[in-house]
Amino acid sequence: MSQQLTDPTNFPAGDRRPVLVDLPTPPAPELFATPEGRQWRYAGTKEDGLRYFVPSHLDPAKIPSWNWASEAYLNAELGDVTPVAQVAA
């Protein structure tokens, strides 16, 4: 999370100091693609610090983490995975 100063708020006794507020970190890109066009959904990281993916049509929350494919595996077998540009709705 990042922090940002907000506009002063009305505190008791007329105190109007700026307040630090935690802002949510923007989400990381969710969809990635291999050079041949296969799409993968970012599933998360594990204790080893690597990023893991599942095929884009699957929900990572419903797939056991031992079935996730590591970024290193995908890069070695299918080519470098790169973020897919998402169009805002």
Side-chain angles (χ1 to χ4, degrees):
M1 292 201 149
S2 60
Q3 290 191 334
Q4 177 178 350
L5 286 175
T6 64
D7 292 333
T9 57
N10 287 322
F11 285 106
D15 188 356
R16 297 192 47 87
R17 292 178 288 176
V19 177
L20 275 178
V21 176
D22 287 327
L23 300 175
T25 304
E30 188 174 306
L31 287 179
F32 292 76
T34 60
E36 63 184 25
R38 290 185 188 175
Q39 290 196 346
W40 296 82
R41 185 174 309 281
Y42 175 71
T45 57
K46 293 185 184 178
E47 301 82 34
D48 57 11
L50 296 176
R51 297 191 305 177
Y52 285 83
F53 300 87
V54 296
S56 63
H57 66 281
L58 299 176
D59 180 1
K62 295 180 181 177
I63 305 298
S65 63
W66 50 269
N67 278 337
W68 296 353
S70 73
E71 183 173 19
Y73 173 79
L74 292 176
N75 288 341
E77 296 295 319
L78 304 174
D80 290 342
V81 292
T82 56
V84 173
Q86 302 259 338
V87 178

